[in-house]
Amino acid sequence: MSQQHDQRPESGKPDDLPSNEVTEGPDKAPHRAMFRAMGYDDEDLSSPMVGVANPAADITPCNVHLDDVANSAYEGIDEGAGMPIEFGTITISDAISMGHEGMKASLISREVIADSVELVAFGERMDGLVTIGGCDKNMPGMMMASIRTDLPSVFLYGGSIMPGEHEGREITIQNMFEGVGAVATGEMTEDELDEMERNACPGAGACGGMFTANTMASISEALGFAPLGSASPPAENESRYDVAREAGELAVEVVRERRKPSDFLTRESFENAIALQVAVGGSTNAVLHLLAMAAEAGIDLDIEDFNRISRQTPKIANLQPGGERVMNDLHEVGGVPVVLKELLDAGHLHGDALTVTGNTLGEELDAYDPPAIADLDADFLHTVADPIHERGAIRILTGNLAPEGAVIKITGEDHLHHEGPVRVFEGEENAMQYVQEGNVESGDVLCIRNEGPRGGPGMREMLGVTSAVAGQGHAEDVALFTDGRFSGATRGFSIGHVAPEAFVGGPIAALEDGDTITIDIDDLEMSVDLSEAELEERLDARDQPEPNYTNGVLAKYGQTFDSAANGAVTNPGAKQD
């Protein structure tokens, strides 16, 4: 993007920055000529080169406004005496790809985003990055790229959408998916669904509840990858552009100070992120993404750490999908720092963990000085002393059906034990047809398999199925489990990430209709009433399925995905046995 640069403070570039390889010396005259063609001048070329990774696109409201966000970040870099260079990346709309074959592209897009940002930063010899995220997989993909390159980086969220309104109540995209299920049972008319459709998404921004995008944006603050208060301003609020400009200025500072992700990301940072996730009832997808990011960083994070931290950390925020409120409600009372302060004061965070600013999280919270939850008139936020639930919202289940783990988010207090015969579906479409035909009854156990990282490939999210079940009134009395994923907007008795997956011969591949499944949330158990010998006999008799794709990007990534228990990474250097 060619822009006129304002008069800036005195610049100057240290001798050891990567960009010197393309800007310094007589032999780099051809390189400088290319930059001059884009409007850069001598002052720019003698300044730190900061890339702005921008996944703007017209394919999702989450990203449709990101050119404006990127422009503000660009201006901040320029004003901070840096040389801003914007470049694009892909994105996939999780909501639009939901419920059909296209959702297989979603998790792969996380990897493509990380790969593409890494390639541009490496090839163009950039000194630092501002990485921007809008839709779900943008956030981890961008932060994974920063971790891989280990360039001084600031993460910048594009902000969430404002809630829509229908018949005097706020609605989000979650209500739309659940409305489909309600229409199928006659509890809602198609005319009412049509009216909701026209009002659910009033403008730009990511889905408004504490779904995957807002969960990962919030986590970016807890990790120290983004400045405090940067996650909650809405997409179309002027403060979103103030945040973007400040992120650009900070990016130049972190380059000059050589403040790299490896300097502030630690195991304690990731434990802080998990504590925030379980306290706000964040998306199960954050389990996958945090494991992947830790693997990229070479930090020893295990899926069982989520259980340990959830056991110690209460749930204190009542946000969608389990509650009624959205990210804008949190923003209006002070944003993510309000929750972080409550957790820190109660001893549930590592206050000495460093952040991208060079200060510790505790120091940043002291400077930000968010209000205390006890002093707020906010019925959706509770103190640690009087929590919504004594334990955090995320549980990792294990047992003979999921020896490497499975993930559930608790959205209610009741129905924490479920036992019954299973109905097995090979893929999402068959399960969705079964639900839409009205076959689901209270007490059912539904298994959707061969949707894992390699078997799908791509671990499809299945919000359509879970929302149809919830829309028919069975959110809490029907259990669903899968080796794929459930959306951040999923609520109810839905268990994802069952590992090992069916495609590689995990126990879920041995299930047959009628097998008795036991799910006990308190005991963290997920098992089938079969002996080890019976499971082995069935698995030995099983034919290895052929890959669903033998050509193109799905075939390539299908061959390289690691287990969901390790974050489903594809970077060979990040895989964990």
Side-chain angles (χ1 to χ4, degrees):
M1 179 180 65
S2 179
Q3 291 196 0
Q4 286 294 113
H5 299 159
D6 297 330
Q7 190 66 35
R8 302 173 299 167
E10 183 179 352
S11 58
K13 184 161 57 169
D15 294 336
D16 58 348
L17 291 181
S19 64
N20 289 333
E21 296 179 35
V22 294
T23 63
E24 299 301 311
D27 59 327
K28 297 304 185 293
H31 306 68
R32 291 192 295 272
M34 298 292 284
F35 284 118
R36 294 185 194 283
M38 296 179 284
Y40 295 101
D41 59 20
D42 288 345
E43 189 174 25
D44 296 312
L45 293 166
S46 63
S47 303
M49 184 188 298
V50 181
V52 180
N54 176 16
D58 290 344
I59 59 175
T60 172
C62 310
N63 294 47
V64 72
H65 64 302
L66 292 187
D67 278 338
D68 293 334
V69 174
N71 283 344
S72 293
Y74 192 106
E75 291 168 3
I77 295 167
D78 197 41
E79 291 164 4
M83 177 180 174
I85 298 183
E86 183 181 346
F87 61 95
T89 74
I90 69 155
T91 190
I92 299 291
S93 170
D94 276 24
I96 295 174
S97 64
M98 193 76 66
H100 55 83
E101 192 176 19
M103 174 48 77
K104 294 179 179 183
S106 174
L107 185 60
I108 291 173
S109 78
R110 182 191 76 178
E111 303 300 297
V112 173
I113 290 166
D115 292 349
S116 63
V117 175
E118 178 189 7
L119 281 171
V120 173
F122 175 81
E124 302 299 313
R125 316 314 286 159
M126 290 181 175
D127 302 320
L129 294 167
V130 174
T131 58
I132 304 175
C135 201
D136 295 6
K137 305 310 175 295
N138 299 173
M139 268 67 81
M142 290 294 183
M143 287 185 273
M144 286 163 65
S146 294
I147 292 168
R148 281 188 203 169
T149 61
D150 204 27
L151 288 175
S153 303
V154 178
F155 176 74
L156 173 59
Y157 182 40
S160 61
I161 196 171
M162 296 296 287
E165 184 174 330
H166 175 67
E167 294 185 347
R169 68 185 180 105
E170 291 186 347
I171 60 172
T172 67
I173 197 67
Q174 174 190 348
N175 301 100
M176 291 306 309
F177 278 98
E178 293 185 3
V180 172
V183 168
T185 60
E187 295 178 27
M188 180 183 291
T189 67
E190 290 189 19
D191 286 344
E192 184 177 1
L193 185 67
D194 179 74
E195 183 66 23
M196 288 176 62
E197 171 191 331
R198 298 173 189 279
N199 293 283
C201 300
C207 299
M210 191 53 71
F211 310 148
T212 304
N214 279 322
T215 298
M216 294 307 299
S218 300
I219 278 173
S220 72
E221 292 190 30
L223 273 173
F225 242 127
L228 290 184
S230 63
S232 65
E236 297 185 305
N237 189 297
E238 186 58 36
S239 59
R240 170 53 54 197
Y241 301 97
D242 294 337
V243 164
R245 192 171 292 103
E246 291 163 6
E249 293 174 356
L250 177 59
V252 181
E253 175 190 318
V254 299
V255 170
R256 292 190 181 281
E257 296 293 329
R258 311 294 203 284
R259 201 174 301 138
K260 302 174 294 185
S262 60
D263 294 328
F264 64 84
L265 286 180
T266 61
R267 180 177 172 83
E268 288 72 25
S269 307
F270 281 89
E271 290 184 347
N272 286 346
I274 296 170
L276 178 67
Q277 176 198 7
V278 303
V280 300
S283 169
T284 55
N285 284 310
V287 175
L288 194 77
H289 300 324
L290 284 170
L291 288 169
M293 291 163 62
E296 297 278 4
I299 290 170
D300 182 20
L301 190 71
D302 187 85
I303 196 168
E304 279 297 326
D305 289 319
F306 291 82
N307 267 341
R308 175 178 58 82
I309 294 170
S310 196
R311 191 178 299 116
Q312 300 167 351
T313 310
K315 182 185 176 188
I316 60 174
N318 193 27
L319 299 163
Q320 286 193 14
E324 295 298 322
R325 299 302 188 93
V326 296
M327 188 64 149
N328 186 57
D329 294 305
L330 182 59
H331 176 67
E332 289 182 348
V333 297
V336 175
V338 171
V339 180
L340 291 173
K341 174 181 171 61
E342 179 69 19
L343 294 175
L344 180 64
D345 289 349
H348 293 295
L349 294 180
H350 301 283
D352 57 352
L354 287 170
T355 74
V356 68
T357 66
N359 299 320
T360 67
L361 181 62
E363 290 168 339
E364 285 295 296
L365 281 167
D366 283 344
Y368 195 89
D369 194 24
I373 288 177
D375 296 333
L376 293 172
D377 182 19
D379 60 0
F380 63 98
L381 294 179
H382 289 224
T383 62
V384 168
D386 182 28
I388 299 168
H389 300 151
E390 292 290 341
R391 293 176 63 176
I394 297 295
R395 305 281 199 282
I396 307 300
L397 312 182
T398 54
N400 70 350
L401 192 53
E404 292 181 2
V407 183
I408 185 172
K409 176 169 65 177
I410 304 301
T411 56
E413 287 278 23
D414 300 328
H415 197 61
L416 299 181
H417 183 94
H418 197 107
E419 185 173 333
V422 68
R423 176 77 167 83
V424 181
F425 299 93
E426 305 293 345
E428 176 185 6
E429 286 80 5
N430 292 334
M432 187 64 173
Q433 181 179 349
Y434 181 84
V435 173
Q436 287 291 78
E437 289 175 351
N439 296 312
V440 174
E441 296 180 359
S442 179
D444 280 354
V445 182
L446 309 181
C447 166
I448 307 172
R449 67 187 178 194
N450 289 307
E451 290 286 3
R454 299 189 68 177
M459 271 188 104
R460 278 195 288 187
E461 291 181 9
M462 287 171 271
L463 178 59
V465 177
T466 57
S467 294
V469 170
Q472 294 175 21
H474 294 297
E476 303 296 337
D477 63 15
V478 168
L480 298 93
F481 64 92
T482 181
D483 52 6
R485 295 178 295 129
F486 290 123
S487 166
T490 290
R491 62 188 178 95
F493 216 107
S494 302
I495 302 164
H497 310 198
V498 174
E501 62 176 294
F503 186 80
V504 301
I508 190 175
L511 290 182
E512 297 176 0
D513 285 348
D515 289 339
T516 300
I517 305 297
T518 299
I519 302 168
D520 194 301
I521 306 304
D522 286 336
D523 291 341
L524 303 175
E525 177 191 1
M526 183 175 180
S527 61
V528 57
D529 188 18
L530 295 172
S531 68
E532 183 176 342
E534 288 172 312
L535 280 171
E536 288 182 2
E537 182 179 354
R538 288 191 188 179
L539 290 172
D540 288 343
R542 161 184 171 269
D543 292 328
Q544 172 64 33
E546 293 295 322
N548 287 324
Y549 304 87
T550 58
N551 186 37
V553 67
L554 273 73
K556 179 170 71 174
Y557 281 93
Q559 293 171 3
T560 56
F561 271 122
D562 196 13
S563 169
N566 297 327
V569 293
T570 60
N571 176 5
K575 289 189 177 181
Q576 300 176 355
D577 295 328

PDB file of all heavy atoms in Angstrom, residues 91-104:
ATOM      1  N   THR A  91      -8.126 -15.381   4.815  1.00  0.00           N
ATOM      2  CA  THR A  91      -8.994 -15.702   5.950  1.00  0.00           C
ATOM      3  C   THR A  91     -10.125 -16.576   5.434  1.00  0.00           C
ATOM      4  O   THR A  91     -10.420 -16.593   4.239  1.00  0.00           O
ATOM      5  CB  THR A  91      -9.558 -14.438   6.621  1.00  0.00           C
ATOM      6  OG1 THR A  91     -10.202 -14.799   7.847  1.00  0.00           O
ATOM      7  CG2 THR A  91     -10.573 -13.728   5.726  1.00  0.00           C
ATOM      8  N   ILE A  92     -10.724 -17.321   6.350  1.00  0.00           N
ATOM      9  CA  ILE A  92     -11.921 -18.114   6.073  1.00  0.00           C
ATOM     10  C   ILE A  92     -12.984 -17.681   7.065  1.00  0.00           C
ATOM     11  O   ILE A  92     -12.704 -17.531   8.255  1.00  0.00           O
ATOM     12  CB  ILE A  92     -11.650 -19.628   6.246  1.00  0.00           C
ATOM     13  CG1 ILE A  92     -10.569 -20.117   5.279  1.00  0.00           C
ATOM     14  CG2 ILE A  92     -12.936 -20.432   6.073  1.00  0.00           C
ATOM     15  CD1 ILE A  92     -10.977 -20.131   3.834  1.00  0.00           C
ATOM     16  N   SER A  93     -14.209 -17.480   6.600  1.00  0.00           N
ATOM     17  CA  SER A  93     -15.303 -17.166   7.515  1.00  0.00           C
ATOM     18  C   SER A  93     -15.804 -18.446   8.153  1.00  0.00           C
ATOM     19  O   SER A  93     -16.373 -19.309   7.478  1.00  0.00           O
ATOM     20  CB  SER A  93     -16.460 -16.493   6.766  1.00  0.00           C
ATOM     21  OG  SER A  93     -17.597 -16.414   7.613  1.00  0.00           O
ATOM     22  N   ASP A  94     -15.589 -18.577   9.459  1.00  0.00           N
ATOM     23  CA  ASP A  94     -16.070 -19.786  10.130  1.00  0.00           C
ATOM     24  C   ASP A  94     -17.589 -19.896  10.077  1.00  0.00           C
ATOM     25  O   ASP A  94     -18.135 -20.993   9.941  1.00  0.00           O
ATOM     26  CB  ASP A  94     -15.596 -19.801  11.584  1.00  0.00           C
ATOM     27  CG  ASP A  94     -14.181 -20.353  11.700  1.00  0.00           C
ATOM     28  OD1 ASP A  94     -13.441 -20.280  10.703  1.00  0.00           O
ATOM     29  OD2 ASP A  94     -13.822 -20.847  12.778  1.00  0.00           O
ATOM     30  N   ALA A  95     -18.285 -18.794  10.191  1.00  0.00           N
ATOM     31  CA  ALA A  95     -19.752 -18.849  10.184  1.00  0.00           C
ATOM     32  C   ALA A  95     -20.284 -19.250   8.810  1.00  0.00           C
ATOM     33  O   ALA A  95     -21.226 -20.049   8.705  1.00  0.00           O
ATOM     34  CB  ALA A  95     -20.334 -17.507  10.605  1.00  0.00           C
ATOM     35  N   ILE A  96     -19.687 -18.716   7.750  1.00  0.00           N
ATOM     36  CA  ILE A  96     -20.182 -19.017   6.406  1.00  0.00           C
ATOM     37  C   ILE A  96     -19.730 -20.404   5.956  1.00  0.00           C
ATOM     38  O   ILE A  96     -20.415 -21.069   5.182  1.00  0.00           O
ATOM     39  CB  ILE A  96     -19.733 -17.922   5.419  1.00  0.00           C
ATOM     40  CG1 ILE A  96     -20.401 -16.588   5.792  1.00  0.00           C
ATOM     41  CG2 ILE A  96     -20.087 -18.287   3.983  1.00  0.00           C
ATOM     42  CD1 ILE A  96     -19.913 -15.399   4.982  1.00  0.00           C
ATOM     43  N   SER A  97     -18.594 -20.867   6.456  1.00  0.00           N
ATOM     44  CA  SER A  97     -18.142 -22.211   6.089  1.00  0.00           C
ATOM     45  C   SER A  97     -18.757 -23.295   6.968  1.00  0.00           C
ATOM     46  O   SER A  97     -18.559 -24.485   6.720  1.00  0.00           O
ATOM     47  CB  SER A  97     -16.604 -22.294   6.155  1.00  0.00           C
ATOM     48  OG  SER A  97     -16.145 -22.102   7.473  1.00  0.00           O
ATOM     49  N   MET A  98     -19.516 -22.901   7.965  1.00  0.00           N
ATOM     50  CA  MET A  98     -20.113 -23.847   8.911  1.00  0.00           C
ATOM     51  C   MET A  98     -21.195 -24.686   8.244  1.00  0.00           C
ATOM     52  O   MET A  98     -21.983 -24.198   7.437  1.00  0.00           O
ATOM     53  CB  MET A  98     -20.727 -23.075  10.093  1.00  0.00           C
ATOM     54  CG  MET A  98     -21.097 -23.932  11.278  1.00  0.00           C
ATOM     55  SD  MET A  98     -19.649 -24.424  12.236  1.00  0.00           S
ATOM     56  CE  MET A  98     -19.084 -22.841  12.875  1.00  0.00           C
ATOM     57  N   GLY A  99     -21.214 -25.981   8.600  1.00  0.00           N
ATOM     58  CA  GLY A  99     -22.320 -26.832   8.210  1.00  0.00           C
ATOM     59  C   GLY A  99     -22.207 -27.465   6.845  1.00  0.00           C
ATOM     60  O   GLY A  99     -23.160 -28.081   6.366  1.00  0.00           O
ATOM     61  N   HIS A 100     -21.047 -27.343   6.199  1.00  0.00           N
ATOM     62  CA  HIS A 100     -20.848 -27.994   4.912  1.00  0.00           C
ATOM     63  C   HIS A 100     -19.366 -28.322   4.767  1.00  0.00           C
ATOM     64  O   HIS A 100     -18.553 -28.076   5.670  1.00  0.00           O
ATOM     65  CB  HIS A 100     -21.357 -27.120   3.758  1.00  0.00           C
ATOM     66  CG  HIS A 100     -20.772 -25.747   3.730  1.00  0.00           C
ATOM     67  ND1 HIS A 100     -19.546 -25.462   3.177  1.00  0.00           N
ATOM     68  CD2 HIS A 100     -21.255 -24.568   4.220  1.00  0.00           C
ATOM     69  CE1 HIS A 100     -19.294 -24.166   3.311  1.00  0.00           C
ATOM     70  NE2 HIS A 100     -20.308 -23.594   3.940  1.00  0.00           N
ATOM     71  N   GLU A 101     -18.989 -28.877   3.628  1.00  0.00           N
ATOM     72  CA  GLU A 101     -17.640 -29.360   3.414  1.00  0.00           C
ATOM     73  C   GLU A 101     -16.586 -28.265   3.553  1.00  0.00           C
ATOM     74  O   GLU A 101     -15.440 -28.522   3.918  1.00  0.00           O
ATOM     75  CB  GLU A 101     -17.560 -30.005   2.029  1.00  0.00           C
ATOM     76  CG  GLU A 101     -16.310 -30.809   1.770  1.00  0.00           C
ATOM     77  CD  GLU A 101     -16.336 -31.504   0.416  1.00  0.00           C
ATOM     78  OE1 GLU A 101     -17.141 -31.089  -0.451  1.00  0.00           O
ATOM     79  OE2 GLU A 101     -15.554 -32.444   0.219  1.00  0.00           O
ATOM     80  N   GLY A 102     -16.988 -27.012   3.273  1.00  0.00           N
ATOM     81  CA  GLY A 102     -16.038 -25.913   3.318  1.00  0.00           C
ATOM     82  C   GLY A 102     -15.407 -25.688   4.673  1.00  0.00           C
ATOM     83  O   GLY A 102     -14.314 -25.108   4.760  1.00  0.00           O
ATOM     84  N   MET A 103     -16.064 -26.136   5.759  1.00  0.00           N
ATOM     85  CA  MET A 103     -15.499 -25.941   7.092  1.00  0.00           C
ATOM     86  C   MET A 103     -14.175 -26.682   7.270  1.00  0.00           C
ATOM     87  O   MET A 103     -13.381 -26.347   8.154  1.00  0.00           O
ATOM     88  CB  MET A 103     -16.524 -26.370   8.149  1.00  0.00           C
ATOM     89  CG  MET A 103     -16.038 -26.369   9.588  1.00  0.00           C
ATOM     90  SD  MET A 103     -15.164 -24.900  10.135  1.00  0.00           S
ATOM     91  CE  MET A 103     -16.484 -23.749  10.380  1.00  0.00           C
ATOM     92  N   LYS A 104     -13.891 -27.656   6.408  1.00  0.00           N
ATOM     93  CA  LYS A 104     -12.613 -28.350   6.501  1.00  0.00           C
ATOM     94  C   LYS A 104     -11.442 -27.404   6.229  1.00  0.00           C
ATOM     95  O   LYS A 104     -10.290 -27.716   6.573  1.00  0.00           O
ATOM     96  CB  LYS A 104     -12.589 -29.536   5.528  1.00  0.00           C
ATOM     97  CG  LYS A 104     -13.591 -30.620   5.892  1.00  0.00           C
ATOM     98  CD  LYS A 104     -13.581 -31.776   4.911  1.00  0.00           C
ATOM     99  CE  LYS A 104     -14.590 -32.844   5.335  1.00  0.00           C
ATOM    100  NZ  LYS A 104     -14.576 -34.028   4.444  1.00  0.00           N
TER     101      LYS A 104
END
